[in-house]
Amino acid sequence: MNNCLKCRALIISLLILNVFQVSVASVVSAGDFNKDFFVIWAPDHVNTSSNGRERSLKLDQVSGSGFASTQMFLFGQIDMQIKLVPGNSAGTVLAYYLASDQPNRDEIDFEFLGNVSGQPYIVQTNIYVDGFDNREERIYLWFDPTEDFHTYSILWNLHQIVFMIDSIPIRLYRNHADKGVAYPRWQPMSIKTSLWNGDSWATRGGLDKIDWSKSPFIASFKNYTIDACVWKGNPRFCRADSSANWWNKRSFSTLTRVQKRWFKWVRKYHMVYDYCQDNQRFQNNLPKECFLPKY
């Protein structure tokens, strides 16, 4: 009888420990760039407000700049309010993305491609899995992203990756791993941002170069939210079905009806480039995911 009670106590203890480990794996953070991020490139080109709530990156002829999160994550949602480089920003690239640190890296990328004054901003999204990308999509923004801050979000879970702007889904990448399509699901990633010179390709395929007389170029960030599973060395906790890992629940396995309508609107009126429609690039051998459902 005593042995039975001891076994029950041990089982209960293990269950409590497992629940605790799952709960502490999830983090909700919103606010202080000094606590949640560190500078990875050109500290003298990174400016942070006294309360840590706002941060800006600078690009000039000397250097670009960047920062990254102190933690790594496996699944969750990241939101960042960003105000893009104003004026003639041709040739500049602002990257805001998730990336692993492995040679065969995974990445989930937002890239904001600078424009000539008066032309709409282009947002490029891309996904790397095991070191391979070639999954670019581009859209024109339907607003001026330099006048005010807008929220750029990445939802990444076991079912799908959703890129959103002000809660409007602009791109989906579904988990079709069971059908042989690569999907980022094992490598933890950190949040990174950088502002850099991409005038060899960024604006009109490199035809429009950076006008350094307009420098410095400044991009600003504030009001970020990190609601994600902190990497502790074991993917089991981040893949678990728990209240902490809300993003993995079935209700987030696809878009809502309203989101689907917005998604179709973006694709119809603002799509510039979709790799799944580029037969010439892939020599009429489009990637497998191009023929599978998005939701």
Side-chain angles (χ1 to χ4, degrees), residues 55-221:
R55 175 166 284 182
S56 64
L57 295 180
K58 180 172 72 172
L59 166 66
D60 58 22
Q61 284 183 285
V62 176
S63 180
S65 51
F67 61 88
S69 62
T70 56
Q71 301 271 19
M72 301 191 79
F73 310 95
L74 185 64
F75 307 126
Q77 180 164 321
I78 313 298
D79 308 296
M80 183 80 74
Q81 289 193 354
I82 306 173
K83 183 158 65 172
L84 300 185
V85 176
N88 184 353
S89 59
T92 68
V93 177
L94 176 66
Y96 156 58
Y97 59 109
L98 300 175
S100 68
D101 291 333
Q102 303 300 318
N104 57 330
R105 73 187 188 280
D106 290 349
E107 277 191 18
I108 304 172
D109 299 347
F110 269 107
E111 290 181 311
F112 305 93
L113 311 183
N115 64 329
V116 176
S117 296
Q119 298 299 313
Y121 244 98
I122 289 179
V123 176
Q124 175 171 283
T125 56
N126 199 1
I127 295 168
Y128 287 70
V129 188
D130 292 327
F132 295 97
D133 60 338
N134 293 332
R135 299 181 180 92
E136 299 92 343
E137 291 187 5
R138 293 184 177 186
I139 66 164
Y140 281 130
L141 290 176
W142 52 93
F143 55 87
D144 184 345
T146 71
E147 289 185 345
D148 204 352
F149 287 87
H150 291 265
T151 303
Y152 302 88
S153 307
I154 296 171
L155 171 64
W156 171 37
N157 60 31
L158 285 168
H159 314 287
Q160 60 180 352
I161 296 167
V162 186
F163 295 81
M164 292 173 281
I165 300 176
D166 294 333
S167 299
I168 294 175
I170 66 162
R171 179 176 184 176
L172 306 178
Y173 186 79
R174 190 143 196 85
N175 184 354
H176 287 300
D178 60 333
K179 298 178 178 66
V181 176
Y183 187 84
R185 54 196 174 125
W186 298 107
Q187 296 187 43
M189 295 193 262
S190 59
I191 307 162
K192 296 184 177 182
T193 68
S194 59
L195 179 59
W196 45 283
N197 176 0
D199 72 1
S200 64
W201 65 275
T203 309
R204 291 204 308 138
L207 294 177
D208 295 318
K209 303 298 185 181
I210 290 181
D211 182 353
W212 292 111
S213 70
K214 301 293 192 296
S215 68
F217 302 99
I218 306 292
S220 303
F221 307 79

